[in-house]
Amino acid sequence: MSDQAIVEKLKAKFSAAVLEVVEYRGETTVTMAKEPIVEICIFMRDECGYNLLTDLCGVDYLGKTPRFMVVYNLYNIATKQRLRIKVPVEEQDATVDTVSTVWGTANWHERECWDLLGISFNGHPDLRRILMPADWEGYPLRKDYPLQGPDREPYQGRLS
Amino acid sequence: MAVKSETMTINMGPQHPSTHGVLQLILELDGEIVRKATPHIGFLHRGTEKLSEYRTYHQIIPLTDRLDYLAPMSNNLGYVLAVEKLLGITDQIPERAEQIRVLLTELTRLKSHLVWLACHALDIGAMTVFLYCFREREEITDIYEKVSGARMTSNYFRVGGLSEDLPDGLEQEIRAFAESMPGHVETYEGLLTGNKIWQLRTQGVGHISAEAAIDIGITGPALRASGVDWDLRRDNPYSGYENYDFEVPVRQEGDTFARYKCRLDEMIQSSRIILQALDKLKPGPILADCPKVCLPPKKDVVNTIEGLIHHFKIVTEGFSPEPGEIYQGIEAPKGELGYYLVSDGSPMPVRMKIRPPSFVNLQGLPQMVEGKLLADVIAVIGTLDIVLGEIDR
């Protein structure tokens, strides 16, 4: 099934939730509302055959609203196809429902997203920091978090 | 009178020779049986993803060497392919550059698998193999040094091609090495495959089914040993892999022994690919004709005004891909290595997410060891082939 056909299927099932469809360099990205994300993922896995969640991550678009995007890179091992689903997340309400019930692999990816970007996942079984120390304050991958860390003088040399 | 028993919680790592780096495991033991295993990671977190948001696309390449430091060229390849895809210049890469990339990433696969086999065997008591594997790895490291000047952090691939051509006479050396490799693999097999102790320590240990492995996201040889016939080199070819003739070893058992056999068979296939790549190599350019992306040759920089301008612009500003986002996955020695890049049209990425295979594969560890013996934990850490550099990034 082509990417277009999958997108049509998604639109038919979740017509109100599909916000934007972009094709770029041969890759399809579907932006969807965050509320039905668990149903979307179950639908993608069971009806469309995307059985592997390759990657899950957050992106900080500081200055835009909504500020964050949570990105799900899906893969279909049978047809060798990729598809990307993104959900916008507001800064004031930085929460998304967990998909770790759909794919076990989402567990650590969501912990990492929480650890580095401060996006929390409702219903996650074990939402702890994963890469940073447990008592760390702040979310290092946010764009307003300084590169050199919170309590240090900014680097005076060139960075690029 | 009933015997009162309670579990004991012990700490394994981060300073433990069998955790392959700085992995900490909290193990809840009931006698010798592991009831619960909780991995703690992050001791080697260097903020690669954060750093890359403050660097131009060219400046990120050396950071990628330090992810999976046992397979630096695979990391380089994944990254440069991702940037090339973002720029839309994938079809402009010269053939010679693609062939050398394949050649060197397959050598890298051998290098990574040799360290895996050496440490895995050492962990479960077979010391001789360790010395043999490091002998062969040393030859690959020498080749690395001749190619890039560094033994581990190669920083050799560039966006658009390679940093420089192969030195004279190296092709014969690589050919001789690749031809000798199947014989070496036979030696390792002679030491291990039929060895009763090896079989007892690996067969049926750390079993995971195909469904469970896909659910937890395991990729690469660890997934193929559970019966899933999937290899990105064949199924989503990149860098001209569709032109090579190789087999994808698949096993059905899903245990440590199957993963061992899969990786050894892969080593034979890698040497086949290396020989094919050597046969294909013809003299030609090694850098794409994209003056706004690739650094011009030095003689153009000092002799032509265009060369000087391009050199200056690339070094001071870098290049700016159009706004967009892409994901590029490659078959790294340990599984699917992916780069997700987001560009907003500036010379630095808005976000670079690395999908390290070890990070995801390690997640399967608790499932594979819970309810099993403590000694099996060592075997399972070895068989997962983890590198903390890419887990912690």
Side-chain angles (χ1 to χ4, degrees):
Chain A
M1 215 187 305
S2 70
D3 284 358
Q4 281 82 7
I6 303 275
V7 172
E8 288 311 315
K9 249 179 117 173
L10 256 177
K11 278 184 177 162
K13 175 91 179 167
F14 301 97
S15 53
V18 178
L19 304 176
E20 194 187 15
V21 181
V22 179
E23 207 187 314
Y24 184 69
R25 309 281 186 223
E27 294 183 5
T28 308
T29 309
V30 188
T31 311
M32 303 192 79
K34 73 172 183 181
E35 286 76 21
I37 186 63
V38 178
E39 290 92 83
I40 293 169
C41 287
I42 292 174
F43 177 76
M44 292 304 283
R45 184 191 65 184
D46 296 342
E47 310 287 323
C48 305
Y50 287 89
N51 48 354
L52 178 70
L53 175 70
T54 326
D55 192 22
L56 186 160
C57 68
V59 185
D60 181 3
Y61 295 94
L62 181 65
K64 289 189 187 165
T65 33
R67 178 172 170 184
F68 300 108
M69 284 277 181
V70 176
V71 185
Y72 303 79
N73 278 300
L74 310 182
Y75 189 78
N76 183 335
I77 293 183
T79 61
K80 330 289 182 202
Q81 275 177 303
R82 291 189 193 281
L83 194 88
R84 184 159 46 243
I85 289 182
K86 296 202 297 184
V87 299
V89 177
E90 301 280 350
E91 188 179 359
Q92 288 75 24
D93 177 30
T95 57
V96 190
D97 289 341
T98 178
V99 297
S100 58
T101 45
V102 188
W103 291 285
T105 182
N107 188 323
W108 279 21
H109 287 302
E110 289 181 345
R111 275 179 68 188
E112 187 188 312
C113 189
W114 155 249
D115 184 6
L116 301 179
L117 280 159
I119 299 170
S120 126
F121 291 86
N122 302 324
H124 191 283
D126 184 24
L127 200 62
R128 288 179 290 127
R129 286 197 181 268
I130 186 165
L131 294 177
M132 304 303 286
D135 56 353
W136 194 265
E137 281 176 23
Y139 303 106
L141 260 185
R142 287 194 172 186
K143 291 283 182 189
D144 48 10
Y145 190 95
L147 175 66
Q148 60 282 345
D151 321 312
R152 292 169 65 184
E153 287 289 302
Y155 179 59
Q156 298 297 324
R158 276 182 77 238
L159 274 176
S160 64
Chain B
M1 199 178 91
V3 178
K4 197 181 151 204
S5 76
E6 54 185 44
T7 58
M8 181 165 76
T9 306
I10 64 158
N11 183 42
M12 181 174 161
Q15 288 101 347
H16 188 287
S18 293
T19 54
H20 294 218
V22 281
L23 168 69
Q24 184 187 22
L25 288 174
I26 307 287
L27 299 170
E28 201 180 308
L29 297 178
D30 179 3
E32 280 279 295
I33 309 287
V34 179
R35 289 287 168 227
K36 193 166 186 291
T38 315
H40 285 249
I41 59 173
F43 295 95
L44 204 59
H45 181 56
R46 294 149 296 175
T48 307
E49 289 171 6
K50 179 81 175 174
L51 282 170
S52 62
E53 291 171 11
Y54 293 82
R55 272 158 177 71
T56 64
Y57 287 91
H58 276 303
Q59 289 172 330
I60 296 169
I61 302 174
L63 295 180
T64 64
D65 288 328
R66 287 147 179 86
L67 296 167
D68 178 357
Y69 41 76
L70 299 176
M73 294 233 194
S74 297
N75 300 292
N76 287 172
L77 180 69
Y79 173 72
V80 297
L81 286 176
V83 180
E84 283 159 9
K85 194 174 188 182
L86 188 63
L87 288 163
I89 58 166
T90 308
D91 50 354
Q92 295 179 41
I93 311 304
E95 264 192 349
R96 184 174 170 86
E98 287 198 328
Q99 287 154 358
I100 294 178
R101 283 176 179 184
V102 168
L103 175 73
L104 288 167
T105 36
E106 289 307 317
L107 268 177
T108 304
R109 191 180 312 277
L110 287 175
K111 193 181 185 215
S112 168
H113 281 6
L114 283 168
V115 177
W116 155 76
L117 180 63
C119 301
H120 184 34
L122 183 69
D123 285 349
I124 45 184
M127 186 151 186
T128 320
V129 188
F130 179 86
L131 300 169
Y132 283 167
C133 289
F134 267 74
R135 182 186 64 190
E136 272 76 74
R137 177 180 182 262
E138 189 61 24
E139 290 191 37
I140 303 179
T141 322
D142 286 344
I143 294 171
Y144 256 57
E145 192 175 0
K146 284 172 188 161
V147 168
S148 65
R151 294 169 66 79
M152 282 179 83
T153 48
S154 55
N155 186 21
Y156 178 60
F157 299 156
R158 290 286 178 277
V159 179
L162 309 168
S163 66
E164 53 194 314
D165 211 332
L166 293 180
D168 288 340
L170 193 71
E171 287 171 37
Q172 290 75 14
E173 201 175 310
I174 299 177
R175 184 181 292 278
F177 176 76
E179 277 169 353
S180 72
M181 205 55 216
H184 292 312
V185 175
E186 210 173 297
T187 312
Y188 314 145
E189 287 229 52
L191 285 163
L192 296 172
T193 309
N195 182 331
K196 194 70 190 162
I197 303 171
W198 180 259
Q199 291 175 355
L200 287 170
R201 289 299 308 269
T202 55
Q203 283 177 347
V205 171
H207 176 269
I208 191 158
S209 68
E211 292 74 39
I214 292 173
D215 178 61
I216 211 78
I218 291 176
T219 47
L223 181 62
R224 289 192 283 276
S226 290
V228 181
D229 186 8
W230 171 50
D231 187 316
L232 286 171
R233 289 175 292 172
R234 183 194 63 197
D235 297 329
N236 300 91
Y238 51 89
S239 197
Y241 264 110
E242 62 274 24
N243 305 322
Y244 297 85
D245 173 32
F246 61 98
E247 284 155 28
V248 177
V250 179
R251 307 276 293 192
Q252 301 300 327
E253 299 87 344
D255 60 2
T256 302
F257 190 77
R259 288 185 281 271
Y260 152 78
K261 281 293 281 178
C262 261
R263 290 204 179 94
L264 282 192
D265 293 345
E266 263 184 22
M267 286 162 80
I268 309 256
Q269 298 302 324
S270 287
S271 19
R272 276 182 67 196
I273 299 175
I274 292 170
L275 291 174
Q276 290 173 40
L278 285 169
D279 289 339
K280 285 181 204 290
L281 272 188
K282 302 266 179 325
I286 51 144
L287 212 50
D289 184 19
C290 302
K292 289 199 161 50
V293 174
C294 308
L295 279 177
K298 198 70 189 171
K299 72 170 184 1
D300 288 356
V301 179
V302 291
N303 289 319
T304 68
I305 185 70
E306 293 84 4
L308 182 66
I309 292 170
H310 289 313
H311 181 92
F312 183 76
K313 293 273 274 185
I314 292 172
V315 172
T316 54
E317 278 179 24
F319 52 84
S320 309
E322 287 166 37
E325 56 195 300
I326 59 101
Y327 176 88
Q328 172 70 44
I330 68 156
E331 188 73 31
K334 294 168 177 69
E336 177 176 344
L337 169 71
Y339 286 88
Y340 170 64
L341 283 172
V342 182
S343 163
D344 63 350
S346 73
M348 295 182 267
V350 172
R351 178 85 163 95
M352 178 174 87
K353 173 68 177 32
I354 304 153
R355 189 252 188 224
S358 299
F359 177 86
V360 188
N361 291 0
L362 180 64
Q363 236 190 124
L365 181 117
Q367 276 191 28
M368 289 158 90
V369 301
E370 280 167 11
K372 305 284 164 34
L373 291 170
L374 175 60
D376 291 348
V377 176
I378 306 293
V380 170
I381 294 174
T383 189
L384 281 174
D385 193 13
I386 53 167
V387 164
L388 273 297
E390 69 173 1
I391 293 179
D392 296 343
R393 278 158 284 151

